[in-house]
Amino acid sequence: MTEVRKALLDNQVQALTRMAMRRPALLSLALGALSATGFAPLDLWPVALACFALWMWLIHEAPGLRPALLRGWLFGTGHFAVGNSWLQHPFLYQDAMPHWLGYVGVLLAAFYLAIYPMLAAGLAWRLASPRAAGHSGTKPGLAYLLVFGAAWIVTEWLRATMLSGYPWNPLGVIWVPVIGIARIAAWTGTYALSGLTIVVAGMPILAAGRRWRAPAATLAILALLALSGIHREASRTLVPAGRPHIRVVQPNLDEEERPTPDYAENSLRALESLAGTPGAHPRLIVWPEGALRFFIEDGYPVDYYWNGSPVAIRRRIAALLGPRDLVLTGGNALQFDGAGNLTAGTNSIYAIDAKAAILARYDKAHLVPFGEYLPLRPLFTMVGLQRLVPGDIDFAPGPKPRTIALPGFGDVGMDICYEIVFSGQVIDPAHRPAVIFNPSNDAWFGAWGPPQHLAQARLRAIEEGVPIIRSTPTGISAVIAADGRLLDSLPLHKAGTIELPLPQAGAPTLFSHLGNWMALLVATAMLLLAVAFRRSPR
């Protein structure tokens, strides 16, 4: 009876293989597109795992390196076209370019980003597929999955660093809804977690080959980690009482996407209306990126101050504060050359106290190409490709991530918007902060961009063991604990505030000590294990 069941299973696997081989290129594209549903806001991570499993089977069965590379590239094209579909949204608010160009932009970005899954697939096929050695009919083994996982780690890290880097939606972020598994990133970091996810996704391939012990053990471990996360979520208190308070403001600025001439004043009034009342606890009031549209530094030509002097604006802000309160707000600064000509701006954070003094300023270091500056400006301007976010000048980058000591609140790390998605690059390693402030402006990025941004911020909190405070004009604003839990959040397109005691940092994690060296260590360990499994007797 057992032999009959094995024969039936073999027949089913062979039938599935024949069906897949009829249209492997089209199936790869479809699997890639469907796999993107594993990311926020859909969070269909089981679907993503199944898609990756079938895709890895297709790569294993490729008759040569070129077909393997093609299947990898097509999978990546579908994966990134759907996952990054929100990139089309900013074109709706940039009248200098046709709106349909947004769809072309999404596809062009996907064509480029698909190179990295293509390389991972090619490496896995070349190094671990029996067909590369001239054999056929051999089922995938654990060594193949380990090599694939290692290749994915390397190529995902390359995607995060090449050409200024674009690490949006690393595969490991699909585990954020299953927080117990996502917390593995405290040891491994995100890119290594992505590689481990590849191995987990491929376990059904082994089960199809009757190697059931490894898949069963893996599923049991994942279940225990998931249950552990649920238990910790339910049992741990939020934050201790008696600490200074954080007040997160989300004004839901309905003019954010298409500002009017009165936008700067309307925005400041919206922020003032949500400032609250000073109380017994010192408050760190945080405002979003892009919400304060007045220049508040002294020394600019008068024409640049619009309808409010910098001192007057700072005094309006200070009037909202108790004697121990501070405001952290996104804002902009200007840079001039020696002749007084405007040369660039900065995307900045300001700390303002109750005496209307600017205590500190941080300038964003990792700028967004085509959003905050235009690469090869003369060329792209000539062909009509201006910045996606309206503006006449480019931003200039500031120094690397910085920690600023704020009186009464301790050491606060600064990361503006997109900077928070760069694993291993969000804090000053020489000056570990107690909390990270991440003002962001996701108003242009539709319904998918903001929840994906939030999920990646939660992974940064887990990796570094540091809580993160996010304030955005239109959502999603949140207070994230050092272990990745959402202590509170405000949904999209809703005005409101969050006020909580300032969360505490956790102990430094292994990843916070080693950074992305962990990706190299895990990838190397996978390759060594793959060699060991291939040499061991079957």
Side-chain angles (χ1 to χ4, degrees):
M1 191 68 178
T2 303
E3 295 299 322
V4 172
R5 289 178 179 174
K6 289 181 179 179
L8 288 174
L9 180 59
D10 280 340
N11 290 336
Q12 290 172 354
V13 171
Q14 291 171 9
L16 179 62
T17 301
R18 286 194 297 270
M19 290 175 59
M21 291 303 110
R22 290 173 187 169
R23 296 286 188 274
L26 183 60
L27 181 58
S28 295
L29 182 66
L31 288 172
L34 190 59
S35 71
T37 63
F39 300 119
L42 300 180
D43 292 323
L44 300 177
W45 56 268
V47 174
L49 295 180
C51 290
F52 271 86
L54 289 172
W55 173 59
M56 285 188 282
W57 181 283
L58 287 177
I59 299 302
H60 183 274
E61 297 299 308
L65 180 59
R66 288 187 178 181
L69 291 172
L70 177 62
R71 295 172 191 183
W73 185 78
L74 288 170
F75 179 90
T77 297
H79 181 77
F80 290 112
V82 174
N84 291 322
S85 59
W86 55 269
L87 287 173
Q88 179 272 336
H89 205 73
F91 285 82
L92 301 178
Y93 306 101
Q94 173 57 285
D95 293 332
M97 294 181 288
H99 296 170
W100 57 262
L101 194 60
Y103 298 101
V104 177
V106 169
L107 284 177
L108 290 177
F111 292 162
Y112 160 67
L113 295 170
I115 291 172
Y116 298 99
M118 178 189 77
L119 292 175
L123 286 169
W125 187 91
R126 185 67 185 84
L127 297 177
S129 174
R131 290 181 179 271
H135 306 295
S136 60
T138 304
K139 296 182 176 65
L142 187 55
Y144 173 70
L145 300 185
L146 290 167
V147 171
F148 216 130
W152 189 273
I153 291 172
V154 172
T155 55
E156 191 170 85
W157 176 82
L158 285 173
R159 174 164 67 91
T161 54
M162 298 293 289
L163 301 177
S164 87
Y166 186 75
W168 195 272
N169 278 349
L171 181 58
V173 81
I174 67 171
W175 295 115
V176 166
V178 193
I179 196 71
I181 298 175
R183 287 181 180 135
I184 295 172
W187 289 275
T188 66
T190 294
Y191 307 132
L193 177 60
S194 295
L196 293 170
T197 303
I198 287 288
V199 177
V200 169
M203 286 298 173
I205 298 176
L206 303 187
R210 300 192 298 275
R211 301 179 182 91
W212 56 269
R213 291 182 180 83
T218 302
L219 290 174
I221 292 169
L222 291 177
L224 288 173
L225 287 171
L227 290 172
S228 170
I230 294 171
H231 171 72
R232 291 175 68 186
E233 200 85 18
S235 64
R236 297 180 70 168
T237 57
L238 294 181
V239 285
R243 290 174 57 78
H245 280 207
I246 186 82
R247 184 176 179 87
V248 181
V249 175
Q250 180 172 298
N252 192 32
L253 306 173
D254 56 4
E255 300 175 48
E256 177 61 21
E257 293 167 335
R258 289 188 179 275
T260 66
D262 296 328
Y263 176 69
E265 177 61 30
N266 294 341
S267 174
L268 182 53
R269 288 180 179 176
L271 294 167
E272 289 172 328
S273 70
L274 295 170
T277 304
H281 299 278
R283 301 176 304 157
L284 184 62
I285 302 173
V286 296
W287 290 352
E289 178 192 25
L292 183 61
R293 294 300 178 103
F294 291 108
F295 295 123
I296 62 170
E297 291 185 311
D298 300 303
Y300 299 163
V302 174
D303 292 345
Y304 288 98
Y305 289 125
W306 300 320
N307 58 345
S309 73
V311 174
I313 298 301
R314 296 202 305 268
R315 285 175 179 166
R316 283 177 62 177
I317 296 171
L320 308 171
L321 307 178
R324 297 182 295 167
D325 294 347
L326 295 178
V327 163
L328 278 179
T329 178
N332 296 122
L334 298 177
Q335 296 180 355
F336 299 86
D337 62 19
N341 299 311
L342 177 63
T343 59
T346 64
N347 189 354
S348 304
I349 297 172
Y350 291 96
I352 304 170
D353 68 9
K355 297 179 180 179
I358 298 175
L359 299 183
R361 183 183 113 189
Y362 166 75
D363 296 334
K364 187 177 183 182
H366 207 131
L367 301 176
V368 182
F370 299 101
E372 293 172 315
Y373 71 97
L374 186 62
L376 304 173
R377 174 172 282 277
L379 173 63
F380 284 117
T381 302
M382 184 169 34
V383 298
L385 186 58
Q386 282 78 24
R387 283 172 44 192
L388 305 187
V389 178
D392 298 324
I393 60 172
D394 285 340
F395 287 142
K400 296 299 182 182
R402 181 180 168 199
T403 300
I404 296 175
L406 297 179
F409 300 95
D411 295 333
V412 180
M414 305 289 172
D415 288 285
I416 299 176
C417 197
Y418 179 67
E419 290 182 307
I420 203 67
V421 306
F422 287 86
S423 174
Q425 301 179 43
V426 298
I427 67 170
D428 177 0
H431 193 179
R432 175 179 164 86
V435 65
I436 293 173
F437 175 44
N438 176 224
S440 187
N441 188 350
D442 298 342
W444 292 288
F445 299 137
W448 282 37
Q452 290 177 6
H453 207 171
L454 174 64
Q456 291 167 99
R458 294 179 69 182
L459 264 189
R460 296 296 85 73
I462 292 169
E463 284 178 336
E464 302 292 347
V466 175
I468 294 176
I469 312 299
R470 281 179 56 81
S471 179
T472 68
T474 57
I476 303 169
S477 300
V479 178
I480 305 168
D483 59 2
R485 288 172 298 139
L486 274 183
L487 300 182
D488 204 350
S489 64
L490 292 165
L492 283 167
H493 308 303
K494 179 181 178 181
T497 61
I498 300 169
E499 185 159 340
L500 291 172
L502 191 66
Q504 286 184 310
T509 63
L510 179 61
F511 179 81
S512 70
H513 288 296
L514 296 180
N516 282 319
W517 285 106
M518 284 302 302
L520 177 61
L521 290 173
V522 173
T524 302
M526 284 182 172
L527 290 175
L528 292 175
L529 283 172
V531 171
F533 278 114
R534 292 191 70 173
R535 290 184 175 180
S536 63
R538 295 179 180 271

